[in-house]
Amino acid sequence: MAGKATASGSNAAVEADARAVPPGWQVSRLRYGFNEIDGWPGFAFSDNRSEIQRRLSLMNTEIIRLFVFDKPVPDPFKRWDFFAAVVDAVLACGAKPMITFAKFEPPHHDPVRIERFVKRATEIVWNCLEQWGGEEVKDWYWCVWNEPNNPDVGGNLSYRDYLTIYRAISEPVVQLLAPHTKTARVNIGGPSIDGTQRAYWLDWIAQLLDDIDDDHLAFVNWHMYSDWRPAAPVETVKVKLVDDPASPNGPVFESLVMARTPQYEARARSVARLIGERDILNFCGELNTIAHHEHEFTGGLNRNILGAAYYASAILNLMRGSADLEMRWTATSKHWFGRDDAYGLLTNDGVPTPPALAKQIIAQHVRRGDLIHFPSQDPELCGIDAVVAQGENGRTSVVLVNTHPTTRRIELTRIGGGAERCHDGLRLDAATGGRVTRVQAADTITIEGYGLAILSEDASRTIID
């Protein structure tokens, strides 16, 4: 078993809040983040990049994941200026980059290929230190590979091959960065495991925790979408179902999608149980409703009001499960056959979708280090995800998410935690036309269909546009 952590300061969730935690409350550990892979041209180079970066800042974005050696992303060896511009865009949001080294072509056990991969990765780290300096780069994150268990994405490596690659790359990266981190640990981790369509994904995290000591493993990273199958009749889209059945469509599929959000809490708790008392962070590194670029495939469920309710519910469940990071795939849309793809939270022009607005208002009311309270199970709240947050400045806010398509009228006294004091509100639901509306609540708040409401003692300060 790998060694127990010493105090490195990397797990700042609890140390950020010195207040006593009352019974029934916990301290929010959750950082907000994004994958900014496919839409990097709009994020870093477009005329609308300042608006995109402003929106991401309003979402309290702490970590943005970038790729090298995979996908159509800037090649640091051919266009360092492009790569540097994307990193600068991350920093302009007030965030830190998570640079993911993925991938090289098989055979993955070939020592020559592994050596070449390690040399390229360490040269990128060295150049980052040269350009941005050790004081800045010491706080960045470094991820080894992307979905190694997924044959279409990461090459379907064996765990043993992945472990060999991880050990080969982590050692020189730690050696390069350790002089700058001083007593803190280098933020390196993996395996960015696909937990959506691949069985036994948790095995990889259990084994990695057992095989790698804490000096070389700062975080473990797992991915979960509600579904990877199409939200449309399977015969109308090109899809390889392997041995899986076609998905149900229409309202049945929508109900199925929303029924899965509690798994974010369960999975976060499962990973946390494996981590135990070790000072290793628990990252949900990719999430969205459906894993696909094409609108015909997703039926709009990544970017409509259902997508907003799904994302809000997933965030609350990750908070409840004490996850350390959520990373939506993706932040900015990619142009896919001449139009924005079905993933991006923001359009390539910086226009927010309903899920973007949902996250934007949640992030301004529930922050890492806040005391948070989840109401006890109440039959009257079935299908309502809720959290009450209290900040150090006395701010009290409540987030309510309706995961059902029917209208819900919620009595604030059932929420507890001081929710009944919050009357200044924001609403984003099936009746608001994809926009956030400001409301006043007395003893109850109504959410019409899928959507969310936020109540606070002063929600008027929330920045929407």
Side-chain angles (χ1 to χ4, degrees):
M1 174 70 72
K4 186 177 178 180
T6 57
S8 69
S10 64
N11 195 345
V14 178
E15 70 183 21
D17 195 307
R19 294 170 292 170
V21 180
W25 293 72
Q26 65 193 69
V27 177
S28 178
R29 306 160 61 104
L30 192 70
R31 298 160 171 85
Y32 299 115
F34 280 107
N35 289 270
E36 189 62 279
I37 313 299
D38 299 307
W40 63 267
F43 170 64
F45 294 104
S46 76
D47 293 339
N48 306 295
R49 62 187 181 277
S50 294
E51 173 62 10
I52 293 170
Q53 294 162 18
R54 183 184 76 89
R55 290 280 182 181
L56 297 186
S57 295
L58 288 174
M59 297 174 201
N60 200 18
T61 304
E62 294 193 52
I63 301 175
I64 296 177
R65 186 169 172 229
L66 311 175
F67 279 17
V68 291
F69 313 146
D70 188 26
K71 293 184 171 284
V73 296
D75 185 334
F77 293 97
K78 294 179 179 178
R79 292 302 305 264
W80 176 263
D81 55 336
F82 277 21
F83 173 77
V86 179
V87 172
D88 284 337
V90 172
L91 301 177
C93 297
K96 301 299 182 186
M98 177 193 286
I99 296 175
T100 298
F101 302 116
K103 53 190 176 178
F104 66 84
E105 294 300 315
H108 297 112
H109 60 271
D110 181 359
V112 174
R113 291 178 183 267
I114 294 172
E115 182 181 9
R116 187 182 303 130
F117 181 67
V118 170
K119 285 181 177 178
R120 297 178 75 207
T122 51
E123 188 169 344
I124 289 172
V125 177
W126 187 89
N127 278 290
C128 288
L129 288 167
E130 286 291 298
Q131 175 136 354
W132 289 282
E135 187 61 26
E136 170 60 44
V137 175
K138 69 179 176 61
D139 297 322
W140 295 8
Y141 295 79
W142 312 88
C143 189
V144 181
W145 219 266
N146 181 54
E147 298 196 353
N149 63 330
N150 186 323
D152 296 321
V153 174
N156 206 25
L157 279 67
S158 70
Y159 172 74
R160 283 294 143 196
D161 283 344
Y162 176 77
L163 179 62
T164 300
I165 294 166
Y166 188 95
R167 283 174 167 161
I169 203 167
S170 63
E171 186 63 40
V173 169
V174 168
Q175 287 178 359
L176 278 170
L177 292 169
H180 304 282
T181 60
K182 304 293 193 296
T183 58
R185 189 172 32 166
V186 173
N187 293 321
I188 190 167
S192 299
I193 204 70
D194 174 15
T196 302
Q197 60 169 312
R198 307 297 292 176
Y200 310 115
W201 64 272
L202 197 57
D203 291 16
W204 287 67
I205 292 175
Q207 291 183 104
L208 195 66
L209 287 165
D210 191 60
D211 287 327
I212 303 296
D213 64 42
D214 297 51
D215 290 337
H216 291 74
L217 185 64
F219 64 87
V220 289
N221 188 20
W222 49 278
H223 300 168
M224 179 189 161
Y225 298 75
S226 177
D227 217 310
W228 67 273
R229 299 171 301 170
V234 68
E235 61 272 11
T236 67
V237 294
K238 294 180 180 179
V239 61
K240 181 178 64 176
L241 287 176
V242 196
D243 295 323
D244 297 321
S247 65
N249 300 135
V252 175
F253 188 58
E254 293 178 1
S255 297
L256 178 64
V257 160
M258 294 302 298
R260 291 196 177 107
T261 59
Q263 292 185 29
Y264 286 102
E265 177 193 356
R267 291 184 179 209
R269 290 195 184 279
S270 294
V271 173
R273 184 169 292 183
L274 289 172
I275 293 171
E277 296 299 316
R278 296 170 67 182
D279 186 14
I280 294 173
L281 298 171
N282 179 358
F283 288 175
C284 178
E286 283 187 27
L287 70 150
N288 205 330
T289 315
I290 300 175
H292 213 273
H293 282 283
E294 295 179 352
H295 295 274
E296 292 80 4
F297 196 101
T298 67
L301 299 184
N302 289 349
R303 308 176 87 210
N304 62 10
I305 192 62
L306 181 144
Y310 177 89
Y311 191 24
S313 176
I315 287 173
L316 266 59
N317 276 285
L318 287 166
M319 285 179 189
R320 188 194 291 265
S322 297
D324 294 295
L325 173 68
E326 62 82 26
M327 301 185 85
R328 159 91 179 209
W329 185 288
T330 60
T332 310
S333 290
K334 166 187 178 179
H335 275 302
W336 186 260
F337 300 123
R339 58 178 178 158
D340 283 351
D341 73 0
Y343 271 129
L345 200 74
L346 301 165
T347 72
N348 204 258
D349 294 327
V351 177
T353 63
L357 294 171
K359 183 172 183 178
Q360 186 173 308
I361 58 177
I362 290 173
Q364 292 179 65
H365 286 271
V366 190
R367 295 176 174 268
R368 182 161 65 100
D370 282 358
L371 290 175
I372 54 176
H373 165 75
F374 297 92
S376 58
Q377 295 297 319
D378 182 336
E380 293 297 318
L381 295 176
C382 180
I384 300 295
D385 288 328
V387 65
V388 180
Q390 292 184 354
E392 287 183 327
N393 60 357
R395 163 183 48 82
T396 299
S397 300
V398 56
V399 180
L400 302 164
V401 183
N402 185 7
T403 64
H404 287 170
T406 54
T407 296
R408 301 295 300 276
R409 186 170 175 267
I410 303 151
E411 296 179 12
L412 299 184
T413 53
R414 292 187 176 275
I415 304 300
E420 66 279 1
R421 299 193 302 270
C422 300
H423 302 292
D424 194 11
L426 306 163
R427 212 180 86 192
L428 173 67
D429 61 25
T432 65
R435 306 301 300 170
V436 176
T437 61
R438 298 186 185 273
V439 297
Q440 290 293 315
D443 300 325
T444 64
I445 183 71
T446 298
I447 306 176
E448 298 193 33
Y450 295 122
L452 68 152
I454 293 179
L455 297 172
S456 177
E457 294 166 298
D458 185 11
S460 62
R461 297 184 181 181
T462 310
I463 300 173
I464 299 170
D465 295 314

